[in-house]
Amino acid sequence: VTKRVIGIDVGGTTTKGGIVSSTGEIHDRAEIPTDQSAGTKGIIHVVEELLAKADSISAVGVGAAGFIDFPSGSVSFSPNVTYDDPHIRRALEARVDLPVVVDNDANAAAWGERAFGVVKGLQDVALLTLGTGVGSGLIAGGRLIRGSSGAGGEIGHTVVDHHGPPCRCGLRGCLEQMASGTAIARLASEAVERDPDSSILAFSQGEEITAQHVAKAAREMDETARRVLRSAGVWLGIGLSNVVNFLDPEAIVLGGQVVQAGEPYLGAARDTLVAMTQAQKRRAMRLDVSALGADAGIIGAGALALDLLEES
Amino acid sequence: VTKRVIGIDVGGTTTKGGIVSSTGEIHDRAEIPTDQSAGTKGIIHVVEELLAKADSISAVGVGAAGFIDFPSGSVSFSPNVTYDDPHIRRALEARVDLPVVVDNDANAAAWGERAFGVVKGLQDVALLTLGTGVGSGLIAGGRLIRGSSGAGGEIGHTVVDHHGPPCRCGLRGCLEQMASGTAIARLASEAVERDPDSSILAFSQGEEITAQHVAKAAREMDETARRVLRSAGVWLGIGLSNVVNFLDPEAIVLGGQVVQAGEPYLGAARDTLVAMTQAQKRRAMRLDVSALGADAGIIGAGALALDLLEES
């Protein structure tokens, strides 16, 4: 029997969902801008819109930004989205009369890559989503590392350079401050002061410099842009070497917009990781780019819902 | 029925074992110096000595230094002990006709604290053993993080300061280089050059300075010794904050000789960890000192053997 479920991905900007088949394809889709003060209402809205499009839905999975207690599906902390009802799972179950599972969004994305993506069936996997921040989901022995308060696997806030710049989390030199899109933009802003001829400035056209501007300039062989990307990539590699020492994974999957910054960034990360990893650990390890891309969250939330049906 | 098992702990210096009851007590004991070139023979020797002391032993558990593939019980890498037969489990099963389980020594120690020690029954726990190096075992969702090649949970080689001193593993500024007994000795050697009146030198009496000398001087309120211990403790706290971001544990357990360095070291680690951990994560978290001490490895290997009986 082919089951169909709903998968929902709640980020700071968009709450999006889809009807996910038991083979991991997305059929219908729906999305709304995330209402910063009513995250739970937004989830219910998208779920009901999808339910109206299809019958015979068996379960609902949600990957939501924030620390999510599992399996209760309650939010314990969420800096980017305010949930009007923190008991997301209970609120949804009251409305839709279907089994519901709620997990962290990065956990859902990692679970999606493991169920249907580039690391299908592997037991020990780390997924890092590189955007303005660094999100991550970790799988050890075929199970997500959820932690005691739903805050496990926060690689973005591991410190790689205690002398580094301050982070919004209160620490200094977190991986997020050293290797994310925000880090690339900061490094580029500093670099163009020393090199005002860099084509980074031609791409940013007086606006605030972003990682995208740097990536475009690097593609045109701007040496300053390439140096900035390599520098962020080296720090990413250092962070990944810590992931290897923690988890000893079979594969690390990199997703998120910043992955598109391309070779100077990913190449430096890969070289650094190889140089910093003992031969015994890197032998069987892969560094992959996400196969599901921006859909990893929806598909992963769907995969969690499919697992729920299997368990029951 | 009260089962009795054998637990073995193989370190770089000593191979020691005991008969472990189903309530985690050690009855008879046996130990030999670890033969650096014949680790597996040493294990068999201690097991046979213990078997001669007791009848009705139901299983054997071994915690062995090195990367140990689980559940095959084979060594994939071991810098400190050479195993004459790398297939430890198979070699033991051929000799003793009992169920055998083999895991990494730090994993066994963590499992012991979780089965019978200070974190009994908790689901998410990190144990760090602070000696000349930093060993560690991590438990997520009630299961050890073993990794894909038996090298999971190596907190000692996570980088906390990329500008730090080089480590034997090839990296720079690993937690082990910043916060272990070796780190304390190195910091103290530098500090006494600036302060030749420190009582650290009175305790070391011309020998090479060790963490023990520093701890003794600190107990007599030598300010240089206290500053050295606080400095290493701050780095330990930074490393522990990374453990929290990775694992979100209910408790972190500190064991090993260096824990006896006392308040300036542990106090600085605790203060740093609290300052560096978001309120949401530290709310329910404890920092404990090992209850089983030097016996954690034997008792933990015994606990793994008891689990083996329960599964079958």
Side-chain angles (χ1 to χ4, degrees), chain B residues 93-131:
Chain B
E93 283 177 337
R95 290 294 284 266
V96 302
D97 198 31
L98 286 171
V100 175
V101 57
V102 183
D103 205 330
N104 168 267
D105 56 346
N107 283 358
W111 201 245
E113 292 289 349
R114 195 230 175 200
F116 300 113
V118 72
V119 289
K120 195 168 171 172
L122 297 191
Q123 297 300 301
D124 299 282
V125 173
L127 172 106
L128 274 77
T129 305
L130 304 156

Side-chain angles (χ1 to χ4, degrees), chain A residues 1-7 17-29 108-109 111-118 120 291-307:
Chain A
V1 186
T2 329
K3 301 268 185 192
R4 293 195 304 171
V5 298
I6 285 173
I19 294 172
V20 180
S21 75
S22 57
T23 50
E25 273 99 43
I26 299 180
H27 295 293
D28 275 303
R29 290 171 186 265
W111 202 246
E113 292 289 348
R114 196 232 176 199
F116 301 114
V118 70
K120 195 169 172 173
L292 307 181
D295 287 337
I298 295 176
I299 294 173
L304 288 166
L306 289 164
D307 289 353

Side-chain angles (χ1 to χ4, degrees), chain A residues 67 76-77 124 138 140-155 157-163 169-172 234-235 238 241-250 275-278 280-281 283-284, chain B residues 67 76-77 124 138 140-143 145-155 157-163 169-172 234-235 238-239 241-250 275-278 280-281 283-284:
Chain A
F67 298 171
S76 61
F77 176 61
D124 300 284
L138 305 179
R143 302 202 313 180
L144 283 162
I145 296 183
R146 292 188 166 106
S148 62
S149 56
E154 290 252 332
I155 302 303
H157 297 288
T158 53
V159 174
V160 288
D161 182 11
H162 190 55
H163 309 290
C169 75
L171 306 184
R172 298 187 77 88
V234 165
W235 285 109
I238 294 170
S241 87
N242 284 350
V243 172
V244 170
N245 278 310
F246 268 110
L247 189 64
D248 181 21
E250 296 157 278
M276 290 184 70
T277 304
Q278 290 175 289
Q280 297 75 23
K281 292 183 206 167
R283 205 170 30 198
Chain B
F67 298 171
S76 62
F77 175 62
D124 299 282
L138 305 179
R143 302 202 312 181
I145 296 183
R146 293 189 165 105
S148 62
S149 55
E154 289 251 334
I155 305 302
H157 297 290
T158 53
V159 174
V160 287
D161 182 10
H162 191 55
H163 309 289
C169 76
L171 305 185
R172 299 187 77 87
V234 166
W235 284 110
I238 294 170
S241 87
N242 285 349
V243 173
V244 169
N245 278 309
F246 182 80
L247 190 63
D248 181 22
E250 296 157 279
M276 291 185 68
T277 304
Q278 290 175 289
Q280 297 75 23
K281 293 182 205 169
R283 205 170 32 198

Side-chain angles (χ1 to χ4, degrees), chain A residues 6-61:
Chain A
I6 285 173
I8 304 285
D9 182 12
V10 187
T13 314
T14 310
T15 297
K16 56 190 181 177
I19 294 172
V20 180
S21 75
S22 57
T23 50
E25 273 99 43
I26 299 180
H27 295 293
D28 275 303
R29 290 171 186 265
E31 73 171 64
I32 56 168
T34 298
D35 181 335
Q36 290 291 335
S37 62
T40 311
K41 277 206 188 84
I43 295 168
I44 291 171
H45 181 93
V46 174
V47 168
E48 292 187 332
E49 191 177 329
L50 288 165
L51 281 174
K53 292 187 185 187
D55 40 35
S56 72
I57 296 294
S58 307
V60 178

